Amino acid sequence: MGHFIEVEAGVRVYVEDIGQGQPVLFVHPWPLNSNFFERQVGPLAANGFRFIGIDLRGYGKSDKPWHGYDFDTMARDIKAVIDFLRLDNVVLAGFSIGGPIAIRYLSLYGDTGISKLLLMAAAAPSYTQRKDFKYGKKRSEVDLLISQINQDRPRQLTLYAKMYFKQRKSAQFLAWFQSLGLEAGAHSMVHSMISLRNEDVRGELNSIRVPTAIFHGKKDRSCPFELAKELKNRIPRSVLIPFRSSGHGLNWDEPEKFNAELIRFLKSSKV
């Protein structure tokens, strides 16, 4: 079932809602949408879980306003979805940019109604290097990416698709992956990347109290594995699950392992 949910006056986001049981709310990576998780839907529904996939504002079928691509606003959109669907006992699952957005959600709204946190290839705690943080992208690298998006977005998405995965993918798969990115607004992609460049959730990690699993590819070229180790060290009650043969797109590089670890985490009473 699909829902269009108004998150603020004149702005609706699209939400896929499939299955029954405990809700697992997925926050997708830049610059894709909830279809990126299509291979997780079946295993979740078959194991008694409810897939909730949000297309963040600016992406997929959602509206694409000029404003609102900071982490605070996107976390507020998630809160509006949770409230509209009256979700409880939610597993909040953030992938890449969805990771720091999920962390910001907990920082702003607490963990009432949230039972677990799953961070997948998370662009956190800081996507970019800082004076006191040596991991992640250089600010100049992000600025170059923004420039390339503005100059030739289809070409940049083609290059991004080839970098995203460690395991070889068919031309048809890469074309599908690129098509997900082309559904995004060009301005949405740029404004979100600016947020990724500027935002920093390091100070919000030690307040996370829900059981947390960190899934991360050892060969991730977008968000280096060192980011996952930083998250593990800073988040109480967290466990790090490495994916040794995966790049950034670990749910497609090692799908069987990913789904098995996902179901194991969801069913576990403790991490």
Side-chain angles (χ1 to χ4, degrees):
M1 178 184 299
H3 307 275
F4 284 96
I5 298 173
E6 189 169 64
V7 294
E8 67 179 53
V11 179
R12 301 181 308 160
V13 300
Y14 179 76
V15 180
E16 282 284 2
D17 185 351
I18 302 171
Q20 296 180 337
Q22 183 181 15
V24 186
L25 191 155
F26 284 83
V27 187
H28 64 78
W30 180 96
L32 310 175
N33 56 59
S34 60
N35 286 332
F36 180 69
F37 300 111
E38 67 174 39
R39 196 157 178 178
Q40 281 63 66
V41 173
L44 285 170
N47 282 275
F49 295 96
R50 180 180 174 188
F51 173 85
I52 305 291
I54 297 177
D55 286 358
L56 294 170
R57 65 167 62 204
Y59 298 90
K61 298 178 182 177
S62 293
D63 290 341
K64 299 169 177 62
W66 179 252
H67 65 282
Y69 299 97
D70 57 285
F71 289 175
D72 282 8
T73 302
M74 289 190 281
R76 189 184 70 204
D77 291 350
I78 293 170
K79 181 69 162 58
V81 169
I82 289 175
D83 290 347
F84 180 87
L85 296 177
R86 299 180 180 179
L87 302 178
D88 193 24
N89 195 28
V90 176
V91 178
L92 190 55
F95 196 113
S96 194
I97 193 176
I101 293 171
I103 291 167
R104 179 61 52 81
Y105 178 94
L106 292 172
S107 177
L108 290 176
Y109 302 109
D111 56 18
T112 300
I114 306 296
S115 63
K116 293 180 180 179
L117 174 66
L118 174 59
L119 300 173
M120 304 162 286
S126 174
Y127 183 64
T128 51
Q129 298 175 15
R130 303 174 188 276
K131 289 182 179 179
D132 57 346
F133 191 77
K134 63 182 180 180
Y135 307 116
K137 298 287 188 184
K138 295 179 180 178
R139 186 181 181 93
S140 60
E141 291 177 310
V142 181
D143 290 341
L144 177 60
L145 176 58
I146 291 170
S147 175
Q148 290 169 336
I149 294 167
N150 284 326
Q151 291 173 13
D152 192 337
R153 188 168 70 114
R155 177 180 182 274
Q156 184 54 41
L157 283 169
T158 299
L159 295 174
Y160 193 63
K162 292 179 180 178
M163 179 275 295
Y164 210 86
F165 306 98
K166 183 62 179 176
Q167 303 303 314
R168 185 177 179 84
K169 302 299 177 190
S170 69
Q172 293 84 356
F173 178 90
L174 293 175
W176 170 78
F177 178 90
Q178 183 189 28
S179 75
L180 299 184
L182 288 172
E183 291 182 42
H187 63 281
S188 310
M189 289 177 60
V190 169
H191 292 168
S192 298
M193 187 54 63
I194 291 171
S195 293
L196 260 182
R197 182 192 66 194
N198 296 343
E199 300 246 24
D200 182 354
V201 299
R202 285 179 293 167
E204 303 164 45
L205 300 179
N206 60 6
S207 63
I208 297 174
R209 298 301 176 208
V210 295
T212 301
I214 302 159
F215 292 5
H216 212 104
K218 293 278 285 188
K219 301 175 181 179
D220 193 326
R221 294 167 57 193
S222 179
C223 297
F225 191 73
E226 286 78 12
L227 295 184
K229 291 192 287 188
E230 284 290 310
L231 291 172
K232 172 66 177 69
N233 291 336
R234 294 170 182 250
I235 298 177
R237 301 178 64 194
S238 64
V239 60
L240 172 57
I241 308 296
F243 286 72
R244 302 188 184 280
S245 301
S246 289
H248 196 53
L250 64 163
N251 60 322
W252 289 100
D253 274 340
E254 297 181 77
E256 290 79 13
K257 177 179 178 177
F258 184 94
N259 287 336
E261 293 289 356
L262 173 62
I263 299 302
R264 182 177 294 112
F265 173 62
L266 297 178
K267 290 187 173 181
S268 175
S269 59
K270 58 183 179 179
V271 176

